[in-house]
């Protein structure tokens, strides 16, 4: 069964997806820190910044023409993800999480996202379901475009919609905090050949189960999706 087999209502022109990933205060600073974090994470994952490379706040701020405040926040988030280490008297340096740590992070991510998907299948309102379906359709179109950066951005909205649809703010908060740590690796795997179409197919199984109100099916589909994401990252890591 696919989404085309499900009954459709009238979709809103611009679906409203509740945001659970950013505080309302200091939005500009948070956004700039996020941009810096993604840029630095990409350079680390690609190998442009080698393990042990120093990450001086002043140098980074000068390079990106920003103050040291968003740089400091970006480095703090990279430390949480395991990509950067903060060492006494040495400042921040590029690290590489161990295989064991990365495996543990993805295992936690899979279980938390599975929980959100299962709860969303039970609790999402009709409007939230239409919103999720609309974002899913947007990803379907993007899967043909071959733009992993744009796909990643909309993919964030897709997962946010499911977190919010769980109707459990605490679980959504924990899930998001874990995703922030795993995000550089999740983002990198979208560069694999054919990955966007595969991700879309995995999402389709999640969405169908949620639309049917199938709690166990939604949880299982989401868990399988995150496990495949981990495998795709491992393929990517070998190629760079």
């Amino acid at each position: 069964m696919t989404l085309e087999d499900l009954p459709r209502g009238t979709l809103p022109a611009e679906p409203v997806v509740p945001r659970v990933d950013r505080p309302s205060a200091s939005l500009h600073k948070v956004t700039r820190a996020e941009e810096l974090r993604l840029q630095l994470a990409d350079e680390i994952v690609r190998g442009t910044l080698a393990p042990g490379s120093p990450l001086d706040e002043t140098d980074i701020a000068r390079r990106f023409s920003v103050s040291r405040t968003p740089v400091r926040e970006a480095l703090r988030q990279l430390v949480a993800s395991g990509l950067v280490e903060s060492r006494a008297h040495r400042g921040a340096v590029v690290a590489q999480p161990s295989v064991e740590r990365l495996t543990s992070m993805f295992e936690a991510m899979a279980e938390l996202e599975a929980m959100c998907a299962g709860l969303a299948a039970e609790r999402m309102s009709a409007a939230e379901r239409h919103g999720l379906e609309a974002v899913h359709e947007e990803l379907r179109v993007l899967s043909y475009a071959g733009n992993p950066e744009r796909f990643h951005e909309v993919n964030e909205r897709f997962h946010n919609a499911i977190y919010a649809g769980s109707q459990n703010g605490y679980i959504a908060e924990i899930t998001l905090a874990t995703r922030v740590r795993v995000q550089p690796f999740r983002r990198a795997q979208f560069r694999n050949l054919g990955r966007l179409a595969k991700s879309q197919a995995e999402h389709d199984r999640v969405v169908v189960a949620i639309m049917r109100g199938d709690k166990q099916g939604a949880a299982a589909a989401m868990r399988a999706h995150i496990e495949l994401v981990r495998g795709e990252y491992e393929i990517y890591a070998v190629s760079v």
Side-chain angles (χ1 to χ4, degrees):
M1 182 177 184
T2 66
L3 282 176
E4 284 69 23
D5 300 316
L6 296 171
R8 294 176 180 267
T10 301
L11 296 180
E14 295 184 3
V16 178
V17 179
R19 295 300 297 267
V20 296
D21 59 334
R22 287 179 182 164
S24 57
S26 304
L27 182 60
H28 177 73
K29 291 182 180 179
V30 171
T31 300
R32 192 65 183 114
E34 175 72 0
E35 291 173 354
L36 287 170
R37 181 179 71 84
L38 291 174
Q39 177 66 37
L40 292 171
D42 269 354
E43 293 181 4
I44 293 170
V45 171
R46 285 176 178 269
T48 305
L49 289 172
S53 299
L55 296 168
D56 182 77
E57 289 181 9
T58 302
D59 290 344
I60 295 172
R62 185 182 301 113
R63 175 187 171 193
F64 291 100
S65 301
V66 297
S67 70
R68 292 175 62 180
T69 300
V71 174
R72 191 174 298 114
E73 174 60 19
L75 290 177
R76 186 192 67 78
Q77 294 178 12
L78 288 168
V79 168
S81 72
L83 287 176
V84 168
E85 292 180 2
S86 181
R87 299 176 179 177
H89 311 300
R90 289 189 57 189
V93 298
V94 176
Q96 176 64 42
S98 66
V99 173
E100 292 77 13
R101 178 171 174 78
L102 198 55
T103 297
S104 296
M105 290 163 65
F106 268 108
E107 284 181 350
M109 188 83 266
E111 293 305 317
L112 287 167
E113 294 233 21
M115 189 183 307
C116 286
L119 291 173
E122 286 188 327
R123 300 176 178 179
M124 261 187 164
S125 67
E128 287 175 323
R129 291 172 193 267
H130 287 321
L132 176 64
E133 192 174 25
V135 177
H136 181 52
E137 175 62 17
E138 187 175 351
L139 283 171
R140 184 187 67 78
V141 174
L142 288 172
S143 70
Y144 300 125
N147 185 337
E149 301 305 320
R150 179 57 182 157
F151 191 93
H152 166 75
E153 292 173 7
V154 180
N155 182 66
E156 297 280 277
R157 288 167 47 207
F158 175 85
H159 286 273
N160 285 350
I162 293 175
Y163 302 165
S166 72
Q167 309 297 343
N168 187 312
Y170 184 69
I171 292 176
E173 181 182 344
I174 295 172
T175 305
L176 179 66
T178 303
R179 189 181 77 193
V180 167
R181 297 190 175 198
V182 182
Q183 187 185 50
F185 311 101
R186 294 178 68 159
R187 188 169 186 247
Q189 52 94 32
F190 284 132
R191 299 190 183 101
N192 289 350
L193 183 64
R195 178 57 192 154
L196 302 189
K198 292 177 183 176
S199 181
Q200 177 66 12
E202 293 157 23
H203 284 179
D204 198 68
R205 289 188 281 273
V206 174
V207 174
V208 168
I210 288 176
M211 295 299 172
R212 295 175 59 184
D214 180 0
K215 181 178 182 179
Q216 292 185 347
M222 181 62 86
R223 185 180 296 107
H225 170 51
I226 303 301
E227 289 172 352
L228 287 168
V229 169
R230 179 177 67 176
E232 289 285 342
Y233 171 71
E234 291 172 352
I235 292 171
Y236 173 80
V238 172
S239 69
V240 296

